[in-house]
Amino acid sequence: MALNKVEICGVNTSTLPLLSNEEKERLFERIEQGDQEAREQYIKGNLRLVLSVIQRFSGSSENADDLFQVGCIGLMKAIDNFDRSLNVKFSTYAVPMIIGEVKRYLRDNNAMRVSRSLRDIAYKAINAKEKLTKKFNKEPSLEAISEEIGIKKEDVLFALDAIATPLSLYEPVYQDGGDALYLMDQVKDKKNKEDLWVESISLKEAMDRLPEREYNIIRLRFFEGKTQTEVADEISISQAQVSRLEKNALKHMKNYLD
């Protein structure tokens, strides 16, 4: 990955502007008032930050133009979400977001190669979505994004799907103290409900040894195919408690069956 070239994505890196702290403050005041011109100036004034971040990925075989473009998306997200009341430097807030965006891109790109044209459409759609969200204070429809960038909505949807990050079933979606709830805990089993375990007498015996509340949780989860959220609502406890009791019940049942 050649990072020592003068131009990246058509940007002459030797002439990238530098903003003073005072200029940054003034621009951000205007950005908070919805000034798009100030936002563009702020982006240009922080492109050197993107360049410094992607240099950390010099060992990657990816094209520097692509990484720079992805890093700019991270920069824009940082600008749109930065809260000056946090009393931290913008660069301190922005660098992890830029790195995260680049890492997601590298992970997705390695998992499944997506054509340059599709990625270009996807990035245009993402930028348009952020612009329209900022303008109207609500998430735009696919039709609005399509109209904004002048590309058919079917092509926009296909491009966004192509770069979407696959989620692991073990992706944490909620943390309650030491009890993490994972994506698979939210998945409802729509088939093989009773047939999954009913035929096993030994399993029924293992269930019969459980306390009543844990027995009901296992029944609702695995016989009726309900999510932990639905079980929590039905028996009037928190989802974190359902997760904890479910794991404890399964452990006891496993020990009995072993």
Side-chain angles (χ1 to χ4, degrees), residues 82-256:
F82 183 58
D83 183 353
R84 287 191 298 161
S85 67
L86 296 173
N87 293 320
V88 297
K89 292 175 62 176
F90 174 75
S91 59
T92 302
Y93 177 81
V95 166
M97 296 194 72
I98 297 171
I99 291 175
E101 201 71 31
V102 173
K103 283 184 175 179
R104 279 191 292 275
Y105 168 80
L106 291 174
R107 183 181 65 228
D108 297 346
N109 220 33
N110 287 334
M112 181 178 67
R113 185 66 61 171
V114 179
S115 71
R116 178 67 181 269
S117 60
L118 273 180
R119 280 180 284 156
D120 285 345
I121 293 174
Y123 296 146
K124 287 178 182 178
I126 291 170
N127 289 335
K129 178 182 177 181
E130 293 177 350
K131 177 182 176 182
L132 293 171
T133 300
K134 191 81 172 178
K135 183 176 180 180
F136 298 109
N137 291 319
K138 66 177 182 178
E139 189 168 312
S141 65
L142 181 63
E143 288 78 5
I145 295 173
S146 171
E147 185 177 344
E148 178 72 18
I149 62 178
I151 297 174
K152 291 191 301 182
K153 65 179 181 179
E154 292 82 4
D155 294 337
V156 172
L157 182 60
F158 184 70
L160 291 174
D161 283 344
I163 66 165
T165 304
L167 286 178
S168 166
L169 285 175
Y170 292 93
E171 183 85 14
V173 295
Y174 178 71
Q175 188 83 23
D176 182 19
D179 298 304
L181 300 181
Y182 299 95
L183 181 61
M184 74 175 205
D185 294 330
Q186 310 297 307
V187 178
K188 180 182 291 189
D189 184 8
K190 294 183 178 179
K191 61 180 180 178
N192 298 327
K193 293 179 181 178
E194 290 197 22
D195 292 340
L196 190 64
W197 279 1
V198 160
E199 295 177 357
S200 173
I201 297 175
S202 59
L203 190 56
K204 179 66 168 62
E205 291 176 350
M207 286 185 62
D208 287 340
R209 291 173 174 268
L210 296 174
E212 182 180 357
R213 184 162 61 172
E214 292 182 9
Y215 178 95
N216 286 331
I217 288 172
I218 296 299
R219 176 179 58 81
L220 292 168
R221 283 282 285 145
F222 299 102
F223 282 74
E224 298 187 16
K226 295 189 175 182
T227 67
Q228 287 189 347
T229 301
E230 290 170 332
V231 174
D233 290 341
E234 183 160 334
I235 64 177
S236 301
I237 62 174
S238 71
Q239 187 179 7
Q241 287 176 293
V242 171
S243 176
R244 185 163 52 248
L245 290 168
E246 177 185 316
K247 290 178 174 67
N248 188 56
L250 291 174
K251 179 181 177 181
H252 284 304
M253 292 173 66
K254 181 178 182 299
N255 289 339
Y256 174 78

